[in-house]
Amino acid sequence: MVKKNTCVFISGKGSNLKSLILNTREYNFPINIKLVITNNPSAEGIIHAKKNNIPFLLINTKKNNFENIILNKIKEHKISLICLAGYMKIISKNFINNFRKKIINIHPSLLPKFKGLNTFERILKENEKKTGCTIHAIDEKLDAGKIINQKFFFINSNDTAKDLKNKTQKLEYRAFPEAIIKIYRYN
Ligand code: GRF
C-alpha cells in the first residue's frame, strides 16, 4: 500500500499530531506524516516532529507571501493531504484553490453547533446535553465543510470547561485517524 504524504499544521500542544504519528506506525494506516508546519515558535507540538525526525517548518505569518512559502514546501514534499490539528490561522481561499487536494480540520464540538472559538464555555452556557468533536473537510467557510467523522459523549452536570476539553480530546485521538481511514477507503 502506498501511503499518502501528509502535512500536519499545528499551533499549540500537538497532542493530535502525536496521536496521528502513533497511528502512522500501523502498516495499513493510509498516510505518512512528511511535514509539520506551525505558525507558533513556542508550539509545544514541535517536539513530536523533532522526536520522530519529521521535517518541520516554522512560518512567519506576518510575511505577506507566507502562504506561498507553505505551498512551495508542500509541493516539494509531494503532500496530498493537509490535516489542520489545532492550527489557529484561517486558511485563505487562494491557498485552498492552489493546493487543490484534501484539507481536513478537527473542531472540538459537534458541528454545525458551536463553530469558532471558546467552544467549551459556550457549550456549558447553552446547557447542552452532549458534545464531542468533528473532523470536516475545509472549504472557504470557517468550520463549514463536509463532515467526515464525529464522536460524542454526554455532559455531566458538574463538568467544567476543562473537563469538557479533556473528554473531547480523548475522543479526538480516535476520531481523527478514523476520518483519515474513511477518506481513503471510499476514494
Ligand atoms: C483540539 O482540541 C482541536 O479540536 C482544536 O485544537 C485542539 C488542538 O489540540 N482545533 P492539540 O494541539 O492537538 O493538543
Side-chain angles (χ1 to χ4, degrees):
M1 171 203 215
V2 181
K3 294 194 177 201
K4 304 281 176 187
N5 290 348
T6 299
C7 175
V8 182
F9 285 39
I10 62 167
S11 295
K13 206 169 134 216
S15 61
N16 278 284
L17 167 64
K18 183 182 175 193
S19 128
L20 288 176
I21 292 172
L22 286 175
N23 278 277
T24 61
R25 295 195 183 142
E26 294 290 327
Y27 87 101
N28 57 353
F29 192 63
I31 65 154
N32 259 332
I33 300 169
K34 295 288 187 184
L35 182 64
V36 171
I37 290 182
T38 185
N39 62 317
N40 176 7
S42 42
E44 288 168 60
I46 294 173
I47 188 81
H48 303 301
K50 285 186 180 163
K51 270 191 190 164
N52 292 280
N53 294 318
I54 301 169
F56 68 90
L57 175 67
L58 170 63
I59 198 82
N60 179 359
T61 52
K62 286 193 185 105
K63 280 191 178 168
N64 281 336
N65 64 340
F66 80 92
E67 282 198 334
N68 287 333
I69 298 172
I70 297 178
L71 281 165
N72 284 337
K73 266 277 169 206
I74 274 172
K75 256 194 203 148
E76 202 181 289
H77 285 85
K78 301 192 167 54
I79 298 299
S80 47
L81 173 71
I82 292 178
C83 294
L84 306 178
Y87 183 62
M88 300 305 284
K89 288 293 275 186
I90 293 183
I91 303 280
S92 76
K93 206 173 172 170
N94 180 55
F95 185 94
I96 295 166
N97 292 337
N98 272 296
F99 178 56
R100 288 217 222 111
K101 291 172 187 155
K102 234 183 182 44
I103 307 178
I104 60 175
N105 180 45
I106 185 155
H107 184 78
S109 77
L110 295 173
L111 292 175
K113 284 185 162 182
F114 303 101
K115 295 175 184 173
L117 298 174
N118 303 317
T119 41
F120 306 114
E121 289 76 8
R122 289 187 288 133
I123 288 163
L124 287 178
K125 220 173 177 184
E126 295 293 322
N127 285 317
E128 291 293 302
K129 290 198 167 46
K130 59 180 189 174
T131 187
C133 64
T134 304
I135 289 78
H136 64 95
I138 284 286
D139 59 17
E140 308 88 75
K141 286 179 233 130
L142 176 71
D143 297 339
K146 188 173 161 254
I147 289 173
I148 302 162
N149 197 19
Q150 278 187 318
K151 288 198 179 290
F152 75 91
F153 61 93
F154 289 101
I155 298 173
N156 292 331
S157 55
N158 56 350
D159 274 344
T160 61
K162 204 174 160 207
D163 295 327
L164 295 190
K165 182 176 176 183
N166 288 336
K167 292 181 188 183
T168 302
Q169 285 212 313
K170 281 209 178 101
L171 291 184
E172 290 182 345
Y173 307 146
R174 289 197 285 127
F176 217 159
E178 266 182 33
I180 292 169
I181 289 168
K182 268 193 187 178
I183 290 170
Y184 292 111
R185 190 188 302 148
Y186 300 127
N187 272 344

